[in-house]
Amino acid sequence: MRVFVIGGSGLVGSNIVEQAESRGDTVRSTHLDTQTETTDIELDKTNAGRTQSVIADFDPDVIVDTAAFHAVDDCETKRDQAWSVNAAGTRNVATAANEAGAHLIYLSTDYVFPGDPEATPYTESDRIQPINYYAETKYAGERAARIADEVTILRPSVIYGTASQNFVTWALGELEDNNELTIVNDQISSPTYAPDLAKACLLLGEEAQTGLYHSTGPESMSRYEFTVVLAEVCGYDTDLVKPITTEEFGQEAPRPTDSTLDSSTLYDAIDYEFRDPASAFEELR
């Protein structure tokens, strides 16, 4: 299988590249600013002509688009940039995928839901209602991705791992330095282990399974609970992790209170269940 990863320097992208290579797939991947060990092509997906050219040159079977403007608070003030990357840029990828006859896999977000605790876990058929601009642009990206005739849309949540910088690598650094961490205890989701998400992307591509799938871990928990489990499993002092409310913490963009997703449809489709945080953290030790 010929796999083209957009955003290969990121957490999910780097895991896809590593797993694809270990499977024997032919893989190319892109970076935006800084080349890494897992990337070999510079690409800004907001450049439609360049996007079409590099995809046509490689002629992939599967394209996985992981590239996004992820800074949720910055999206509120840098709206043109957020839309350019998350919506218009995704449209460029989808158009190029269609021209190349490739299967597009697009990574969206759990934030497309409003976060009503009484409505969770959300299923793929539940009504979309973004409450911040980041989520609006990612949902626009979902619609843009559907330009491709063969497309799979995945909705992960709180992606974590160690392949690149993310919340877990930051928290581990703070715990190692014996620093106190103040973590919100009223934002609930179903965290997603990056290697599991990468495996799902490759399995879906291999089987040419299209459609919309929630793609999160099986356990619902707050950011605070998630961090306590991290400290506990990795042998750090859990008393270093202190709870705080979202209101006390203060964030520019509103967050869903509970964005837990039901990913059972994906698990059935690929015959694989993602790991819960405790199990994943054991692997990271």
Side-chain angles (χ1 to χ4, degrees), residues 12-228:
V12 179
S14 56
N15 273 278
I16 294 173
V17 171
E18 180 181 348
Q19 291 186 29
E21 289 178 341
S22 68
R23 284 163 37 107
D25 294 324
T26 302
V27 58
R28 301 289 301 276
S29 64
T30 76
H31 60 273
L32 180 57
D33 298 314
T34 305
Q35 185 170 355
T36 68
E37 292 181 357
T38 56
T39 65
D40 57 356
I41 299 173
E42 184 176 358
L43 176 66
D44 179 349
K45 73 176 188 177
T46 66
N47 184 325
R50 170 72 173 161
T51 301
Q52 191 278 331
S53 175
V54 296
I55 288 175
D57 286 347
F58 181 57
D59 191 24
D61 300 307
V62 176
I63 300 168
V64 187
D65 184 5
T66 74
F69 185 23
H70 291 296
V72 177
D73 290 329
D74 287 347
C75 285
E76 296 296 318
T77 53
K78 300 177 180 178
R79 295 197 167 203
D80 288 347
Q81 182 180 354
W83 184 268
S84 178
V85 176
N86 297 343
T90 303
R91 186 183 192 281
N92 293 338
V93 175
T95 300
N98 228 23
E99 292 175 356
H103 176 185
L104 173 62
I105 299 176
Y106 171 69
L107 269 57
S108 183
T109 175
D110 58 324
Y111 275 20
V112 298
F113 294 107
D116 179 2
E118 296 182 0
T120 58
Y122 289 107
T123 68
E124 289 84 351
S125 61
D126 284 327
R127 186 170 69 92
I128 298 302
Q129 188 182 340
I131 61 172
N132 58 47
Y133 195 68
Y134 166 72
E136 287 184 31
T137 63
K138 290 297 287 181
Y139 183 52
E142 288 190 16
R143 300 196 301 274
R146 295 182 187 278
I147 290 172
D149 290 335
E150 295 182 52
V151 61
T152 305
I153 295 168
L154 301 179
R155 291 176 181 153
S157 171
V158 190
I159 305 170
Y160 65 95
T162 56
S164 68
Q165 292 297 313
N166 62 97
F167 177 81
V168 160
T169 55
W170 168 80
L172 286 172
E174 294 297 300
L175 291 166
E176 179 66 26
D177 291 340
N178 210 40
N179 293 332
E180 188 174 284
L181 292 77
T182 305
I183 310 296
V184 291
N185 64 355
D186 55 359
Q187 293 180 28
I188 299 169
S189 62
S190 37
T192 307
Y193 190 36
D196 288 336
L197 182 56
K199 180 173 182 174
C201 289
L202 292 170
L203 289 173
L204 290 165
E206 183 177 47
E207 298 297 326
Q209 296 191 55
T210 59
L212 170 65
Y213 297 97
H214 289 173
S215 53
T216 67
E219 190 168 342
S220 176
M221 57 177 58
S222 70
R223 293 290 185 98
Y224 167 73
E225 292 169 327
F226 176 79
T227 312
V228 169

